[in-house]
Amino acid sequence: MAQSPLFAAIDLGSNSFHMLVVRHIQGAIRIVAKLKRKVRLASGLDHNLVLDRASMERGWDCLKLFAEQLEDIPDENIRIVGTATLRYAKNVDTFVRIAEEILGHKIEVISGLEEARTIYQGVSWTSSGIGHRLVIDVGGASTEVVLGENFDAQILNSLPLGCVTWLDKYFSDGKLNSVNFNNAIAGAKEVFRTIVHEYLCVGWSSCVGASGTVQALQEIMLAQGTSERITLEKLNTLKEQSIACGSIDNLSLEGLLPERLTVFASGLSILIALFEVFGVKEMTLAGGALREGLIYGMISIVSDESRFGCGDAQERTVNSMISRYQLDAEQGNRVRQTCIKIFEQLKEVWGLDERYRPILESAACLYELGLCIEYKKAPQHAAYIVDNVDMPGFSVAQKQLLSALLFNQKNEFKLDVLKKQHAVSEKEACCFARILRFAIILCIRRTEGTVPSVSFSVSNDELIVGLPKGWLAEHYLRASELTSEAAVQTYIGWNTKIEEVE
């Protein structure tokens, strides 16, 4: 019997129970089912570390929803793990015995270090970045802090604080005031100080958060029209907004979903403490965590690993889409290389953020994506696909920028689309779009060796595109397209000139 392409991971967390079911297709995974229920198991753990019956009943009731989905998936393609609350509970065997009867599968109660390691793997598979990466996962009853590089977790810790336990400890009266927040932050700082030194000695180039708390923060940032990057200043602003609401029952923040209301303040306090103790400058949301780590771990065992690949998450996603939509990979790479050359010439004078160059490169590789639907409105179709397809490695804001660039790859500029994305400023997004449009024109021939040696410079706010002497007369189509594009950009107010240089 052929290996089933279906894989399932269940995370019995301290706040929520999650199930993720995916298909493994041509080196990529496709989500086919996701279920989540707020169980708040940690709230049922008393001072003697005994889990009360009501909490266990909530958990068992949730697992009845998951059970049917597992029936057609082989045992070896399923992993079910319990985390902090089940690690702590003295009567864990009672819960696990009935839970296994409901699911028909074994449950692993994993250690804190194993949880941290698996979270890091999930982040590595689904998030992009180079250099050392600090990974934070604020759970219901534990917080995992991992420092690593590529797929190697180097420093791992699982700490006894979480959004449910901190809720019960510091916000049990339901009040959102300075006293409760300050006590919660001080308590979290005390825990973080016990481990911070080792992390600071190594350092990191990026920090990502992999939890519901961080996802809620990103949703708030985007809803309030700011960038997706979480900073201490933004966290403190949200603390003050929360205090102004007075109580958890009255908490109302634009972009905050009802399901996160109860544990938002406690999770926010833990993150503020972490930012201050570790000196974190900014944090972004990871593409995956524990469940994804479990899934990719199973797939790497049964798959041809060389085909599955261990490269950058965005690169894997783009390559998968090129294959799925039968795009011309050579042409996409030609446009990509041209974009890189233009970007390098303009990044300083235009003040372009190097961190977002990979999004420009992805737009170049996928610029013909809309052709799989039809030619006439290909840019709109490409943007629609990006808006609605799952793209591991790309954050919400990064997908918005990618979609906006694809929408603006030719014809009239749609400035409102570039303005709506929150990854970079509107000005920077427009600069990326200008680069992409010129690169596409220069690569019209679709043949290796036909892209000219071209220079891009700025003089008195005018963009000057320099081409070899005599090139314009010898390449009438591209000369006409470049001239038209310069006129379009100049009309908007971005003075642009095409000229030949010695």
Side-chain angles (χ1 to χ4, degrees), residues 150-255:
N150 297 324
F151 286 82
D152 299 321
Q154 297 165 357
I155 306 174
L156 304 99
N157 277 284
S158 180
L159 304 169
L161 74 166
C163 59
V164 176
T165 53
W166 244 231
L167 168 68
D168 295 338
K169 189 171 184 178
Y170 295 103
F171 297 92
S172 59
D173 59 4
K175 294 180 180 178
L176 298 178
N177 54 38
S178 296
V179 173
N180 285 352
F181 265 106
N182 290 341
N183 288 339
I185 293 168
K189 281 184 174 182
E190 186 176 339
V191 177
F192 286 133
R193 287 193 186 104
T194 63
I195 65 165
V196 67
H197 179 71
E198 189 176 8
Y199 292 81
L200 294 178
C201 287
V202 177
W204 57 86
S205 57
S206 63
C207 177
V208 295
S211 65
T213 296
V214 179
Q215 182 175 347
L217 286 169
Q218 188 193 63
E219 289 166 353
I220 292 170
M221 304 299 176
L222 296 177
Q224 296 186 359
T226 65
S227 76
E228 64 176 345
R229 296 187 175 275
I230 299 166
T231 64
L232 182 59
E233 180 182 5
K234 291 179 180 178
L235 294 179
N236 282 320
T237 296
L238 289 175
K239 182 186 76 170
E240 295 306 318
Q241 291 177 5
S242 299
I243 290 173
C245 294
S247 69
I248 292 175
D249 289 340
N250 293 327
L251 182 60
S252 178
L253 299 175
E254 185 180 3

Side-chain angles (χ1 to χ4, degrees), residues 31 37 47 49 54 72 132 152 167 181 344 473:
I31 297 171
R37 289 294 184 272
H47 295 300
L49 298 181
D72 301 311
H132 282 95
D152 299 321
L167 168 68
F181 265 106
E344 290 299 321

Side-chain angles (χ1 to χ4, degrees), residues 286-305:
L290 180 61
R291 294 174 296 284
E292 288 75 13
L294 296 171
I295 290 286
Y296 280 101
M298 288 186 287
I299 291 176
S300 65
I301 292 173
V302 302
S303 305
D304 175 358
E305 292 191 46

Side-chain angles (χ1 to χ4, degrees), residues 138 143 161-163 166 188 192 265-275:
V138 180
T143 293
L161 74 166
C163 59
W166 244 231
F192 286 133
S266 51
L268 177 61
S269 301
I270 292 170
L271 279 178
I272 290 174
L274 183 134
F275 268 66

Side-chain angles (χ1 to χ4, degrees), residues 185-480:
I185 293 168
K189 281 184 174 182
E190 186 176 339
V191 177
F192 286 133
R193 287 193 186 104
T194 63
I195 65 165
V196 67
H197 179 71
E198 189 176 8
Y199 292 81
L200 294 178
C201 287
V202 177
W204 57 86
S205 57
S206 63
C207 177
V208 295
S211 65
T213 296
V214 179
Q215 182 175 347
L217 286 169
Q218 188 193 63
E219 289 166 353
I220 292 170
M221 304 299 176
L222 296 177
Q224 296 186 359
T226 65
S227 76
E228 64 176 345
R229 296 187 175 275
I230 299 166
T231 64
L232 182 59
E233 180 182 5
K234 291 179 180 178
L235 294 179
N236 282 320
T237 296
L238 289 175
K239 182 186 76 170
E240 295 306 318
Q241 291 177 5
S242 299
I243 290 173
C245 294
S247 69
I248 292 175
D249 289 340
N250 293 327
L251 182 60
S252 178
L253 299 175
E254 185 180 3
L256 179 61
L257 298 178
E259 64 185 50
R260 296 300 307 180
L261 289 174
T262 305
V263 295
F264 178 74
S266 51
L268 177 61
S269 301
I270 292 170
L271 279 178
I272 290 174
L274 183 134
F275 268 66
E276 292 184 350
V277 172
F278 281 75
V280 173
K281 301 301 181 185
E282 60 181 34
M283 172 189 286
T284 55
L285 177 66
L290 180 61
R291 294 174 296 284
E292 288 75 13
L294 296 171
I295 290 286
Y296 280 101
M298 288 186 287
I299 291 176
S300 65
I301 292 173
V302 302
S303 305
D304 175 358
E305 292 191 46
S306 63
R307 179 165 166 264
F308 191 63
C310 293
D312 180 83
Q314 289 184 357
E315 183 181 350
R316 288 198 312 274
T317 293
V318 169
N319 288 338
S320 175
M321 292 180 70
I322 289 171
S323 174
R324 185 191 316 176
Y325 295 101
Q326 300 179 319
L327 304 185
D328 185 339
E330 290 186 3
Q331 173 64 4
N333 188 56
R334 192 172 297 115
V335 175
R336 171 178 166 270
Q337 292 296 334
T338 305
C339 279
I340 292 173
K341 292 177 182 177
I342 301 173
F343 180 92
E344 290 299 321
Q345 295 178 64
L346 293 174
K347 67 179 181 181
E348 291 188 11
V349 67
W350 276 356
L352 302 178
D353 192 336
E354 182 74 33
R355 294 175 299 182
Y356 286 92
R357 193 186 79 177
I359 307 301
L360 174 62
E361 294 182 44
S362 297
C365 292
L366 299 174
Y367 86 97
E368 294 186 311
L369 183 60
L371 295 179
C372 69
I373 299 179
E374 59 108 24
Y375 175 80
K376 188 175 182 181
K377 294 183 178 180
Q380 293 96 313
H381 296 319
Y384 175 83
I385 291 172
V386 166
D387 287 339
N388 293 280
V389 73
D390 186 37
M391 296 183 68
F394 291 83
S395 68
V396 173
Q398 288 171 338
K399 282 184 65 177
Q400 288 178 344
L401 175 57
L402 177 59
S403 172
L405 293 178
L406 292 175
F407 203 106
N408 280 277
Q409 64 181 272
K410 65 178 182 178
N411 303 324
E412 294 181 2
F413 274 87
K414 290 79 175 177
L415 298 179
D416 59 324
V417 176
L418 293 165
K419 184 176 182 178
K420 287 178 182 177
Q421 61 76 38
H422 297 299
V424 296
S425 67
E426 179 185 358
K427 178 182 178 181
E428 196 167 359
C430 291
C431 291
F432 281 135
R434 296 173 74 184
I435 291 172
L436 178 63
R437 290 163 72 99
F438 275 120
I440 291 171
I441 294 171
L442 291 167
C443 296
I444 282 177
R445 286 278 299 276
R446 309 182 72 90
T447 305
E448 197 65 33
T450 60
V451 179
S453 176
V454 60
S455 64
F456 284 76
S457 59
V458 176
S459 177
N460 296 323
D461 290 330
E462 181 177 50
L463 176 63
I464 301 171
V465 183
L467 292 153
K469 201 73 173 176
W471 189 90
L472 292 171
E474 295 175 4
H475 303 86
Y476 192 79
L477 172 61
R478 279 182 286 178
S480 175

